[in-house]
């Protein structure tokens, strides 16, 4: 904290300049911390219900992880080519122009702020179950969580980054303990092969089941690209960003694949498919009466890690848009936490996430064509095939979201439409300041 202030007050430091104090360790921590949450504890049951076959279940989790790797491959080029804070907004502004960039940045900031709100609500809901307090205080408690994190992050980047590293480490250790416990202490010593589900005889049903499963799984991977939001604060972005992205995705993929393998080992397909919280069912089998407390505690720590990560990178989108930040973000998050339900905010966020992915993945093609001579310390492997795969995958996922949830998609479109008048106001303010 003192070092942050000393640097900021030094004669050579501009108020528009950010401290270059982050490295690979932080990048990996924020990638893991911003990704692994309650989704991996809840989604395995719904995926098993869609697919009903252990081999197919493992295949879609592995395929989704490889898709995230291909996405990291694209972001590594973009993040090292334009090493500025702000994530997709930075790439979109360069590729699509001022308003196109603002539109992507606004959508990204809106979804991140909404996720801060629903994560705070989810945290207090699980805490209510663990500590048995009145559910009527969930919304005020969620607002209190947001205020607490605001005060904590006011201390400076070092405090937030160290907390992220600690919580991410705890999260990784906790999940590997669950994985090991499933294999070492589960009464089920061997898993019978899955019966061939009826959907195998109908290619259309099989395709729909795979798409629905991947739609859910890719939602659990959201957040792996967090390191690019801090490019301007990295000591060596050309090397650190690719390492952070690939290492973070590798760790997340390893945890996701192994925990699904462990759950399939510990639970029969029929029980896994009917579970809303598969990890809790496995823990019940292994730990007995203390299972709910154990899993809820892990969920709380996971949520704290994601909220902390969100407080780190969400204001950087606003910072890139207008060079302001934390207070505006948290005020909007508090408003959303007070008026929106978890399910509505989550669906709203999911649509915007995929929309931003489509826009961001598309920028690599525009910039390769328009500005081929830009320095690219890391060039995406397998161009144009691998970047095209993630771009088309995100586009198909966006279509699936619109078809499956028209109402929530409409709310998201309304939120995006608000960006235009905001853009005009910001543009006038910038001109007024310049004069």
């Amino acid at each position: 904290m003192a070092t942050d202030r000393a640097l900021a007050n030094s004669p050579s430091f501009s108020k528009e300049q950010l401290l270059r104090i982050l490295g690979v360790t932080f990048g990996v921590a924020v990638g893991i911390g911003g990704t692994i949450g309650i989704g991996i504890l809840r989604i395995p049951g719904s995926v098993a219900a869609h697919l009903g076959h252990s081999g197919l279940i493992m295949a879609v989790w592995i395929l989704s992880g490889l898709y995230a790797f291909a996405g990291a491959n694209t972001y590594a080029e973009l993040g090292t080519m334009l090493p500025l804070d702000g994530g997709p907004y930075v790439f979109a502004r360069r590729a699509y122009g001022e308003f196109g960039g603002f539109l992507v940045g606004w959508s990204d900031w809106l979804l991140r702020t909404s996720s801060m709100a629903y994560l705070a609500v989810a945290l207090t809901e699980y805490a209510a179950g663990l500590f048995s307090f009145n559910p009527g205080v969930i919304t005020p408690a969620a607002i209190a969580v947001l205020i607490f994190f605001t005060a904590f992050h006011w201390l400076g980047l070092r405090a937030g980054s160290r907390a992220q590293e600690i919580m991410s480490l705890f999260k990784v250790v906790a999940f590997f303990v669950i994985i090991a416990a499933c294999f070492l202490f589960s009464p089920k010593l061997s898993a019978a092969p899955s019966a061939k589900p009826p959907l195998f005889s109908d290619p259309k049903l099989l395709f729909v089941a795979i798409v629905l499963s991947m739609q859910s799984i890719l939602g659990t991977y959201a957040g792996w690209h967090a390191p690019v939001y801090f490019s301007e604060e990295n000591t060596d972005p050309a090397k650190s960003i690719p390492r952070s992205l690939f290492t973070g995705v590798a760790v997340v993929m390893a945890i996701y694949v192994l925990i699904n393998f462990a759950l399939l080992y510990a639970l029969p397909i029929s029980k896994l498919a009917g579970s809303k919280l598969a990890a809790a069912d496995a823990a019940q089998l292994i730990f007995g009466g203390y299972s709910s407390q154990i899993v809820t505690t892990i969920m709380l720590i996971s949520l704290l890690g994601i909220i902390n990560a969100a407080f780190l990178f969400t204001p950087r989108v606003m910072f890139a848009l207008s060079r302001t930040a934390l207070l505006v973000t948290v005020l909007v998050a508090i408003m959303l936490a007070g008026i929106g339900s978890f399910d509505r905010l989550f669906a709203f966020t999911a649509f915007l996430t995929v929309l931003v992915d489509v826009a961001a993945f598309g920028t690599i093609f525009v910039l390769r064509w328009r500005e081929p001579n830009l320095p690219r310390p890391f060039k995406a492997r397998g161009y144009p095939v691998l970047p095209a795969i993630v771009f088309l995958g995100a586009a198909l996922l966006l279509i699936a979201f619109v078809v499956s949830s028209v109402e929530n998609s409409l709310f998201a479109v309304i939120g995006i439409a608000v960006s235009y008048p905001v853009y005009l106001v910001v543009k006038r303010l910038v001109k007024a300041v310049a004069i």
Side-chain angles (χ1 to χ4, degrees), residues 49-398:
H50 284 311
L51 301 174
H53 187 273
S54 58
L56 196 53
I57 291 168
M58 294 306 302
V60 294
W61 279 97
I62 292 171
L63 183 61
S64 298
L66 294 176
Y67 178 86
F69 262 113
N73 179 53
T74 298
Y75 264 81
E77 174 172 324
L78 295 167
T80 55
M81 179 178 64
L82 298 169
L84 299 169
D85 276 20
Y89 162 75
V90 175
F91 321 140
R93 190 176 189 279
R94 188 73 173 238
Y96 307 134
E98 194 174 82
F99 178 65
F102 189 91
L103 187 64
V104 172
W106 171 268
S107 300
D108 194 27
W109 175 76
L110 197 59
L111 79 89
R112 301 296 167 194
T113 306
S114 179
S115 69
M116 289 165 64
Y118 78 67
L119 288 168
V121 172
L123 177 71
T124 54
E125 285 179 348
Y126 285 113
L130 183 63
F131 300 110
S132 302
F133 60 76
N134 187 351
V137 303
I138 285 176
T139 298
I143 293 172
V145 168
L146 292 171
I147 293 172
F148 168 80
F149 273 97
T150 302
F152 178 68
H153 281 271
W154 217 274
L155 296 175
L157 178 60
R158 290 187 190 276
S161 63
R162 291 294 177 267
Q164 191 62 55
E165 291 167 5
I166 293 168
M167 285 187 281
S168 294
L169 178 61
F170 174 87
K171 191 182 298 190
V172 170
V173 171
F175 275 94
F176 274 111
V177 167
I178 292 177
I179 292 165
C182 285
F183 286 114
L184 296 175
F185 304 115
S186 171
K188 184 178 180 181
L189 299 178
S190 61
S194 302
K196 189 175 181 180
L199 58 84
F200 270 68
S201 60
D202 188 334
K204 290 181 181 178
L205 286 177
L206 181 60
F207 176 76
V208 171
I210 291 173
V211 169
L212 290 174
S213 298
M214 288 195 66
Q215 183 176 325
S216 298
I217 293 170
L218 290 174
T220 68
Y221 273 99
W224 55 262
H225 60 312
V228 299
Y229 287 82
F230 304 89
S231 302
E232 210 167 335
E233 295 158 275
N234 204 292
T235 54
D236 187 2
K239 293 181 180 178
S240 296
I241 290 173
R243 291 174 183 173
S244 299
L245 287 168
F246 290 122
T247 304
V249 171
V251 173
V252 171
M253 182 181 176
I255 290 173
Y256 285 7
V257 170
L258 287 173
I259 201 164
N260 275 275
F261 190 34
L263 291 172
L264 286 166
Y265 180 87
L267 301 171
I269 285 282
S270 58
K271 187 166 186 179
L272 179 59
S275 175
K276 292 184 178 180
L277 195 60
D281 289 338
Q284 176 66 37
L285 191 68
I286 297 165
F287 301 111
Y290 295 100
S291 60
S292 61
Q293 292 92 331
I294 292 170
V295 173
T296 302
T297 301
I298 292 172
M299 292 173 81
L300 289 173
I301 298 297
S302 296
L303 284 166
L304 285 170
I306 293 185
I307 294 172
N308 190 71
F311 266 84
L312 282 164
F313 61 77
T314 303
R316 278 154 179 81
V317 182
M318 176 63 77
F319 179 82
L321 280 165
S322 64
R323 314 305 273 191
T324 62
L326 183 60
L327 189 58
V328 174
T329 297
V330 77
L331 287 174
V332 175
I334 288 172
M335 180 189 72
L336 290 171
I339 65 175
S341 68
F342 174 87
D343 291 336
R344 176 60 58 85
L345 290 171
F346 183 82
F348 175 77
T349 301
F351 177 89
L352 289 175
T353 299
V354 182
L355 182 66
V356 171
D357 281 346
V358 172
F361 289 140
T363 61
I364 192 171
F365 301 103
V366 176
L367 293 173
R368 281 272 190 128
W369 170 66
R370 187 187 295 161
E371 302 187 63
N373 297 322
L374 270 178
R376 289 173 168 84
F378 179 94
K379 297 191 77 170
R381 309 295 188 251
Y383 181 89
V385 177
L386 281 181
I389 288 173
V390 292
F391 173 76
L392 292 174
L396 290 172
L397 203 57
L398 181 63

